[in-house]
Amino acid sequence: MRKKVTKAVFPVAGLGTRFLPATKSVPKEIMTLVDRPLIQYAIDEARAAGIEDFIFITARGKTALADYFDRSSELESALKASGKDHLLEVLKTTNMESGTIAYMRQHKALGLGHAVWCARRLIGNEPFAVMLPDDIIASEKPCLQQMVEAYEETGGSMIAAMEVPDDKVSSYGILDVESENGPVVKAKGMVEKPAKGTQPSNLAAIGRYILTPKVLKNLDKVKKGAGGEIQLTDAIAMEIEKGRDVFGYKFEGRRYDCGSKAGYLQATVAFALQNEELGGEFREYLQSVVANDWVAQ
Ligand code: G1P
């Protein structure tokens, strides 16, 4: 029997410079998509996939994130007293059971690989998930759940993957494809942010990973790579070099890059349209905006 994936690492130490000045005092993971902070989408997806332990790799200036997952007894009492039971229920989805959430500081911004490596002692000798909360994936079955199901069949390490156009390959980890079996793609290599024209394929890694503990061991040895950072991609590539299985998983769903302004706005529109309370009115509004070419003055 394969060990179940019950732990997930959330690297949230980034400065969010692309959203300055907003992120000067608000961690980007707390930025709101309709009515929930970005991080809540990742947490909900993780829970749906059976994750029980949540490990945040944070940094200075991210205390708002820890506060968000803390119980707010004052707010709960106020909502109870005023009979706002629905809001009380909504609020409770943000509470994490004591002992299930851990915060680990990444003391130096040395890259994604280093951030994941910081969780090594909490992970131990188990397979684990990595979720990059910037990547929001809208799908019928949550992306990580799709991957956990596939992983139970294949073992090895598994990376969410999606085709990207040539001019975007240099923003991603790119897989070198050996063979394909439905959504599961066997990788024979992986390279971080290749220059356009040098990519082994157009299949890019998206921010959901299921990794074996061996990847953590590789991270002990990985040297600085693309951008002068310790890259998770390089530790995964090392797995392939050692002859171990690494798969890409072409997930079903639409991915939004909420680490960029354009992607964040697209996600906002998509999730607002799908929202029961807002959807109809918002659709009409958008149609008027387009028809009349309205802009903020
Ligand atoms: C990171 C990874 C990259 C991956 C991407 C997905 O890059 O290093 O391999 O393709 O996330 O969003 P970043 O976006 O942090 O530069």
Side-chain angles (χ1 to χ4, degrees), residues 173-193:
I174 300 287
L175 295 167
D176 193 356
V177 177
E178 183 175 298
S179 59
E180 301 202 21
N181 180 9
V184 179
V185 174
K186 188 153 195 304
K188 62 175 176 189
M190 190 174 176
V191 45
E192 181 69 9
K193 303 197 169 83

Side-chain angles (χ1 to χ4, degrees), residues 34-52:
V34 185
D35 54 6
R36 281 185 286 161
L38 287 175
I39 192 67
Q40 184 75 49
Y41 289 82
I43 294 286
D44 291 347
E45 185 182 328
R47 278 183 174 144
I51 298 299
E52 294 165 5

Side-chain angles (χ1 to χ4, degrees), residues 18 112 132 135 171-173 190 192-193 204-207 209 231 233 255:
R18 280 194 268 180
L112 178 61
L132 309 187
D135 282 331
S171 302
Y172 296 94
M190 190 174 176
E192 181 69 9
K193 303 197 169 83
I206 298 304
Y209 305 76
Q231 296 292 353
T233 293
R255 172 260 188 171

Side-chain angles (χ1 to χ4, degrees), residues 13 20 24 33 35 46 52 85 91 102 106 127 134-135 139 158 164 166 175 186 188 191 233 243 256 293 297:
L20 280 171
K24 184 180 172 198
L33 203 51
D35 54 6
E52 294 165 5
D85 293 346
L91 196 65
Q106 184 186 20
D134 276 0
D135 282 331
S139 57
M158 184 165 280
V164 296
D166 287 349
L175 295 167
K186 188 153 195 304
K188 62 175 176 189
V191 45
T233 293
Y256 298 92
D293 203 14
Q297 302 284 337

Side-chain angles (χ1 to χ4, degrees), residues 12-61:
V12 290
L15 293 174
T17 46
R18 280 194 268 180
F19 285 95
L20 280 171
T23 45
K24 184 180 172 198
S25 62
V26 180
K28 70 173 169 178
E29 298 78 15
I30 293 288
M31 289 188 353
T32 313
L33 203 51
V34 185
D35 54 6
R36 281 185 286 161
L38 287 175
I39 192 67
Q40 184 75 49
Y41 289 82
I43 294 286
D44 291 347
E45 185 182 328
R47 278 183 174 144
I51 298 299
E52 294 165 5
D53 292 302
F54 303 81
I55 304 166
F56 282 67
I57 308 301
T58 86
R60 191 176 285 268

